[in-house]
Amino acid sequence: MQLFTALKLTFISLLFFIIAGCSSIGVISNDKYKKNLTPSQHEYSMSSVIQNKPQGDIALVLTFSGGGTRAAALAYGVLQELNETTIRLQHKNLSLLDEVDIISSVSGGSFIAAYYGLKGKRTFDDFEKVMLKQDIEYQLISGLLNPFQWFGSTGRTEMAVQLYNQSIFKGATFSDLNKPNRPLILINATDLSNGVRFSFTQDYFDLICSNINDFPLAKAVTASSAVPVVFNPVVLKNYYPCNNNVNQRLKKLANISKTNYELQQTISGLKSYTNTVYPYLHLVDGGISDNLGLRAIYEAIELSGGANAFMKKVGKHNVKHIAVIAVDASTQSTKSIRLTNESPSIQQSMDAVTDIQIHRYNIATLQLFEKSLEKWGKELSTATQKVVPHFIKLNFDQLPSNEERAEFNLIPTSLTLTEPEITKLIKAGRSLLKNNLQFQLLLQVLDNDQTANKAQ
């Protein structure tokens, strides 16, 4: 979640005494509802995007964690390996990457998720040059150290939005993501006022009576990665009320979640958007509410009424396999504290607190999701067709040697890494996926399915 190295963050913290009392105004970029959209202007919603993908035997979901450029590079390696993994489905040889239906991301993982959603396989031509090997951190630090930024009315975050917009996303909006055969990109942030996860789709923009199509992609990625205090929140305007039946939908969701306390908390947070006393949302790092990007998938399925209702909503039929590949780039950078009797630095203490919170919450999330995935497989299975769930978890603990694990744990959560670090991370993403036993089993059962189909 932290974006800066210890030295830089310590230096910047000295400025907080100067700028802490300076207020800034969030630039509003979301528009009020526009009615009567033409067919070519469909909102970027979960159902509309997934329904535009061809049907297949497998429902495939990717989730990309936070972790700055470390997370983006690791996930990029996973995408490369998926692209070069050939499977045979419906009598055709296909790249497994073509079968991805959803990519859910937070923080650093949102850079690669958004870029792939925008560019498709052209991502492999230039993402390393455009983002991974750019000294983005230096450009951000330079802006933060500019005295004119300290007292600017629009805040430090707008500077990051402009940088990402110009250098990475080139003015793209969510309408540019809405292309046939592309996966749904779920960019997740955290609403600072009520603690709920906020996903950048029309489904969530309906809650605030707004249209997502013209919303800048760079701004969503900035919100997903905006570390509190270092950056101002991204602010959205809540235009509620409007005539979109959102209250009725929330009541239906409340009925679905009656026996699930965690979902009840989510619904309570979403209901707060219908309170006209609070006209603004303040969005920050998505890793605060879920550093793995898995809970966005969990909530989408459960709040649809279960796996069958969700598949019907998104137009997926006759699925034989549901597979989720969770790419976790989190590290345990606090182990070095135990090597000395010196008191930890401020940065080390901040890292330790964050690491403890992230890893404990990650464990709870993984347990919840694994149990839910098994349940969804049973719900989708019929007397004649069993639906097999596959949960493929990738993390640095799976590296083959203690030396490698220690090396990757020392790579900082930064937006600037060295080229050797980037190369190692990309290679690690590829090898972690390729050598993962659950992934190998998935490929085997898909191959067995095709062999059985030929025999019939």
Side-chain angles (χ1 to χ4, degrees), residues 46 60-66 102-107 186-188 197 199 204 262-263 286-287 289-302 310 323-328 358 361-373 376 390-395:
M46 182 168 286
L60 181 55
V61 175
L62 309 180
T63 66
F64 297 158
S65 79
I102 303 174
I103 302 177
S104 175
S105 65
V106 297
S107 201
L186 278 178
I187 299 173
N188 300 291
R197 178 188 49 76
S199 298
Y204 274 74
E262 186 166 357
L263 290 179
S289 52
D290 172 22
N291 197 50
L292 295 175
L294 285 168
R295 288 179 182 263
I297 307 301
Y298 166 75
E299 291 176 7
I301 294 175
E302 288 299 303
F310 177 79
V324 178
I325 301 175
V327 185
D328 179 7
I358 285 178
Y361 195 47
N362 282 358
I363 290 170
T365 297
L366 290 167
Q367 290 175 337
L368 171 68
F369 197 88
E370 191 158 20
K371 182 178 179 181
S372 299
L373 192 58
W376 299 331
H390 307 267
F391 193 21
I392 299 160
K393 295 169 281 188
L394 308 178
N395 57 64

Side-chain angles (χ1 to χ4, degrees), residues 251-268:
K251 287 180 181 178
K252 183 178 179 181
L253 295 181
N255 289 330
I256 291 172
S257 63
K258 275 184 177 179
T259 60
N260 188 317
Y261 179 68
E262 186 166 357
L263 290 179
Q264 287 178 24
Q265 285 187 310
T266 299
I267 298 303
S268 177

